[in-house]
């Protein structure tokens, strides 16, 4: 039997399609658990806060609108307009069967308690409409809510890979080669560079906190720089980078790196620490210093000829301290007025050739004083112009220690007369006659009659052809 709710006994003169109609009695005046055959509220019914049944079990949903024959309590829709803000969780946390509830297995961790409406607002759910047509819990953008902007907890609480179905993406779901880090996402993915948490793009990486607990990291760093800077995960060595198995920070030190711990630039040039393998092998400088991978002889058009000697014979290997300029801290160092520069290592193994292959005026810009050539008032060298005695070493010592320039060529200098006898073409008076201005220690003579026609030795006066003095050392 189906009770006809429209009759004079109940006082319900008609049922409209919405509540309230002009009912003279409340539903629960019969549906109270004591009136015979009137179905009471079930034990698992949600709290009603005193609202009558028809508030939710409308004539349309119960069938009462069909001639008063109420057939079902199902299909009711809660009128949320009567629900207090912040109390959603009193029903939507699994307490009542048939009520859409949070699923802890897929729902992101939340700290709002019963206040689901902090994120699931009326604008999204449409629940505060008296009888919403299409209510939904979807379409929430967490970081547009007060809980998610700014985030109140660790990003990794949600962005761990567990809640991808809720669009809480993780490192691996967005990019397979994310850099290694123990820092929380917001360390790099800030509100500013992610357009207020709407994208993972635009993050500025920081090495500490994150990859390293502190900056600068202990050496050698763990993980190594190359574990990320491999050209795939992060920027790696460029095409012209020197060949090396060393970790990046061996050369790109904390002094060279710029903008750290974000480290916006690798620092160019980085100082390669040459006193460690593989760079400390003598004679191998040219492997990198070829003008392409690193600065080489081709980059210095004014460099002196080197023959077969290696760079390290004159230029010392860089030990990571001080300047890395080729003009400083070399093998043969010279200190002038407190400035240390490099000097040519004339005793370098493999160095062969004539002095004037460098000391010819073409390389005056090399070294501290340049490869000094003969001074303009140098004595004539035709006296030694034979196949065996034509180079500077015929007179100048091979162990000169240059400390001030051209004047030091006089150190250890001794005139090589090459057994000259005087007379044409190598007259003694060319150098020894008083009044000549050649730069030399030659003893000058001034007695009457000395001339090319009466030359010192060929005239038969002074030795070696004459009788006076000692040949090439004393006139008398």
């Amino acid at each position: 039997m189906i009770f006809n709710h429209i009759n004079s006994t109940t006082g319900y003169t008609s049922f409209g399609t919405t509540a309230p109609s002009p009912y003279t009695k409340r539903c629960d005046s019969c549906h109270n658990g004591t009136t015979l055959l009137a179905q009471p509220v079930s034990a698992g019914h949600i709290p009603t806060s005193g609202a009558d049944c028809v508030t939710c079990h409308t004539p349309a949903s119960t069938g009462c609108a069909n001639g008063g024959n109420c057939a079902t309590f199902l299909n009711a829709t809660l009128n949320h307009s009567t629900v207090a803000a912040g109390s959603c969780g009193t029903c939507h946390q699994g307490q009542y069967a048939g009520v859409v509830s949070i699923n802890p297995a897929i729902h992101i961790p939340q700290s709002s308690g019963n206040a689901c409406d902090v994120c699931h607002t009326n604008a999204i759910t449409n629940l505060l409409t008296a009888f919403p047509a299409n209510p939904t819990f979807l379409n929430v953008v967490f970081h547009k809510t007060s809980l998610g902007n700014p985030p109140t907890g660790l990003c990794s609480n949600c962005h761990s890979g567990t809640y991808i179905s809720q669009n809480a993406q993780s490192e691996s779901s967005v990019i397979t080669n994310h850099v290694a880090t123990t820092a929380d996402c917001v360390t790099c993915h800030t509100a500013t560079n992610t357009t207020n948490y709407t994208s993972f793009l635009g993050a500025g990486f920081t090495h500490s906190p994150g990859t390293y607990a502190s900056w600068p990291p202990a050496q050698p760093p763990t993980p190594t720089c190359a574990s990320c800077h491999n050209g795939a995960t992060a920027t790696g060595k460029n095409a012209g980078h020197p060949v090396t198995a060393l970790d990046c920070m061996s050369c790109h030190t904390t002094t060279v790196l710029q903008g750290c711990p974000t480290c916006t630039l690798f620092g160019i040039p980085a100082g390669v620490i040459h006193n460690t393998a593989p760079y400390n092998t003598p004679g191998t400088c040219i492997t990198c210093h070829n003008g392409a991978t690193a600065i080489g002889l081709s980059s210095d058009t004014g460099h002196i000829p080197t023959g077969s000697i290696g760079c390290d014979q004159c230029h010392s290997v860089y030990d990571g301290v001080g300047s890395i300029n080729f003009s400083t801290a070399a093998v043969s160092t010279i200190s002038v007025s407190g400035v240390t520069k490099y000097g040519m290592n004339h005793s370098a193994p493999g160095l062969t050739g004539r002095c004037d292959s460098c000391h010819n005026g073409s390389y005056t810009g090399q070294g501290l004083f340049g490869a000094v050539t003969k001074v303009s008032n140098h004595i004539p060298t035709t006296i030694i112009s034979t196949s065996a005695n034509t180079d500077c070493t015929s007179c100048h010592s091979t162990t000169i220690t240059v400390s001030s320039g051209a004047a030091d060529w006089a150190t250890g200098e001794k005139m090589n007369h090459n057994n000259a006898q005087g007379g044409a073409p190598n007259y003694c008076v060319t150098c020894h006659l008083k009044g000549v201005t050649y730069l030399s220690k030659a003893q000058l003579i001034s007695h009457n009659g000395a001339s090319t026609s009466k030359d010192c030795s060929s005239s038969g006066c002074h030795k070696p052809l004459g009788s006076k003095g000692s040949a090439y050392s004393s006139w008398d």
Side-chain angles (χ1 to χ4, degrees):
M1 181 182 68
I2 299 177
F3 182 72
N4 187 341
H5 288 72
I6 302 177
N7 56 57
S8 59
T9 302
T10 61
Y12 296 167
T13 58
S14 65
F15 270 93
T17 56
T18 60
S21 289
Y23 310 142
T24 57
K25 293 184 178 180
R26 289 173 57 97
C27 303
D28 54 8
S29 64
C30 293
H31 296 279
N32 51 25
T34 59
T35 302
L36 185 64
L37 300 179
Q39 183 70 35
V41 175
S42 65
H45 196 285
I46 63 173
T48 62
S49 302
D52 193 26
C53 310
V54 76
T55 305
C56 299
H57 299 276
T58 64
S61 66
T62 60
C64 293
N66 184 20
N69 297 317
C70 304
T72 181
F73 282 108
L74 303 180
N75 305 319
T77 301
L78 177 66
N79 184 347
H80 285 77
S81 62
T82 64
V83 177
S87 64
C88 312
T90 58
C91 295
H92 292 283
Q93 297 206 52
Q95 302 96 322
Y96 304 102
V99 175
V100 176
S101 296
I102 187 172
N103 183 350
I106 62 173
H107 195 286
I108 64 172
Q110 56 91 19
S111 59
S112 61
N114 290 330
C116 309
D117 49 335
V118 171
C119 298
H120 299 274
T121 63
N122 181 53
I124 293 172
T125 63
N126 199 33
L127 287 175
L128 292 189
T129 301
F131 295 104
N134 296 295
T136 179
F137 285 103
L138 304 180
N139 306 323
V140 171
V141 180
F142 178 69
H143 287 295
K144 288 185 176 180
T145 71
S146 60
L147 281 180
N149 194 348
T152 55
L154 293 175
C155 305
S156 54
N157 288 343
C158 298
H159 295 281
S160 60
T162 303
Y163 307 103
I164 293 177
S165 64
Q166 305 303 300
N167 201 32
Q169 303 296 327
S170 66
E171 290 177 10
S172 59
S173 68
V174 174
I175 182 171
T176 57
N177 56 347
H178 195 284
V179 295
T181 180
T182 57
D184 195 39
C185 312
V186 75
T187 304
C188 300
H189 299 272
T190 65
T192 301
N193 64 33
T194 60
T195 316
N196 212 16
Y197 308 112
T198 58
S199 170
F200 282 107
L201 303 180
F205 183 72
T206 178
H207 291 78
S208 178
T211 303
Y212 305 112
S214 60
W215 187 266
Q219 297 296 315
T222 302
T224 63
C225 306
S227 63
C228 290
H229 291 282
N230 50 27
T233 304
T235 303
K237 291 180 287 190
N238 57 30
H241 195 284
V243 178
T244 177
L246 297 174
D247 193 44
C248 310
M249 287 195 76
S250 298
C251 302
H252 298 273
T253 62
T254 54
T255 301
V256 171
L257 290 169
Q258 300 177 34
C260 290
T262 300
C263 300
T264 53
L265 289 175
F266 284 107
I268 302 297
V272 177
I273 311 301
H274 289 75
N275 60 352
T276 57
Y279 304 111
N280 58 353
T281 303
T284 61
C285 308
I286 195 66
T287 303
C288 295
H289 290 281
N290 50 27
T293 303
I295 188 171
L297 285 178
S298 61
S299 308
D300 185 0
T301 56
H303 199 285
I304 63 173
T306 60
S308 61
I309 67 171
C311 313
D312 51 305
Q313 295 295 327
C314 295
H315 300 281
S316 66
V317 296
Y318 180 55
D319 61 1
V321 179
S323 173
I324 57 174
N325 192 303
F326 279 106
S327 66
T328 59
V331 171
S332 301
T333 55
I334 306 162
S335 181
V336 178
S337 301
V339 178
T340 300
K341 294 284 185 179
Y342 73 93
M344 177 65 185
N345 182 8
H346 289 84
S347 59
L351 181 63
T352 58
R354 297 167 51 87
C355 301
D356 57 9
S357 62
C358 297
H359 294 281
N360 54 26
S362 299
Y363 306 102
T364 56
Q366 296 291 296
L368 182 60
F369 305 109
V372 179
T373 188
K374 290 188 296 186
V375 294
S376 59
N377 61 339
H378 195 284
I379 62 173
T381 57
T382 53
I383 193 172
I384 58 170
S385 295
T386 65
S387 58
N389 297 295
T390 57
D391 201 20
C392 309
T393 54
S394 298
C395 300
H396 295 281
S397 169
T398 59
T399 58
I400 295 173
T401 301
V402 180
S403 61
S404 61
D408 289 285
W409 283 85
T411 303
E413 177 270 326
K414 183 177 181 180
M415 180 63 190
N416 178 3
H417 287 81
N418 197 25
N419 200 32
Q421 304 297 303
N426 299 313
Y427 296 100
C428 302
V429 294
T430 300
C431 298
H432 292 283
L433 186 64
K434 188 174 182 179
V436 298
T437 58
Y438 297 120
L439 179 63
S440 72
K441 296 179 181 179
Q443 298 179 27
L444 305 181
I445 58 174
S446 61
H447 60 73
N448 294 332
S451 65
T452 54
S453 60
K454 296 180 180 180
D455 200 26
C456 311
S457 174
S458 59
S459 65
C461 183
H462 300 280
K463 288 185 177 182
L465 297 181
S467 59
K468 292 185 178 182
S470 299
Y472 314 124
S473 61
S474 173
W475 293 111
D476 296 308

